[in-house]
Amino acid sequence: MLNNIGLPGLLLIAVVVLVLFGRGKISNLMGEVGKGITAFKKGVSEGSKEIEDEKAAEAKDVTPESEKDKV
């Protein structure tokens, strides 16, 4: 159903949305969407860094004792 929209249909939808909501509301909405995406990316980055830090803290030295004495 949605794969038949095409460029003219998308333009028509964009014009209808612009008329209904106005340019100001749409620009504010897009600004908020951008802030949300930025916050999401930051959260994902911080979460993955936290997981990596936890893994590094849990890492154990598995070098055999005989090898440690040689160094």
Side-chain angles (χ1 to χ4, degrees), residues 19 43-44:
V19 168
V44 168

Side-chain angles (χ1 to χ4, degrees), residues 16-64:
V16 169
V17 168
L18 186 62
V19 168
L20 288 176
F21 294 107
R23 196 177 84 203
K25 277 193 174 183
I26 292 175
S27 66
N28 288 342
L29 178 65
M30 290 301 113
E32 294 298 321
V33 167
K35 288 178 187 177
I37 291 172
T38 303
F40 177 77
K41 286 182 179 180
K42 183 179 177 185
V44 168
S45 175
E46 288 176 356
S48 62
K49 184 179 181 196
E50 184 177 316
I51 290 172
E52 289 175 7
D53 291 344
E54 287 177 6
K55 285 183 180 180
E58 293 175 0
K60 297 178 182 177
D61 186 9
V62 293
T63 308

Side-chain angles (χ1 to χ4, degrees), residues 1-22:
M1 183 171 119
L2 293 177
N3 53 359
N4 294 333
I5 291 178
L7 184 61
L10 291 176
L11 289 175
L12 179 64
I13 291 170
V15 168
V16 169
V17 168
L18 186 62
V19 168
L20 288 176
F21 294 107

